[in-house]
Amino acid sequence: MKAFLLLREIYLEAFKSFGNYLVRNYFKAFAWFSFTLLVVVLYAFVFRVYTGFAFD
C-alpha cells in the first residue's frame, strides 16, 4: 500500500506543474493509454507462457 501511495504522489506531482489545461489532460490520457497497453502486453505474454506456447 505504501508503494501505491508513493506512485500516486509521483503521478500527481508530475502533472501539477503543467499550466495548460489541454496539455495537462492530453498527457494524463496518454499516460493511462500507455499503462493500458502495457497491461494488455503483459496479459498476452503471461497467457502464452501459461498455455505452453513455444517461443522459437
Side-chain angles (χ1 to χ4, degrees), residues 5-18 24 28:
L5 291 175
L6 181 61
L7 287 174
R8 179 177 172 261
E9 186 65 29
I10 291 171
Y11 177 80
L12 291 176
E13 284 292 322
F15 293 107
K16 198 178 281 187
S17 63
F18 280 109
R24 183 176 56 237
K28 280 185 181 180

Side-chain angles (χ1 to χ4, degrees), residues 30-47:
F30 184 73
W32 281 109
F33 179 71
S34 298
F35 177 71
T36 305
L37 288 179
L38 181 64
V39 169
V40 168
V41 167
L42 290 175
Y43 169 75
F45 178 73
V46 169
F47 180 78

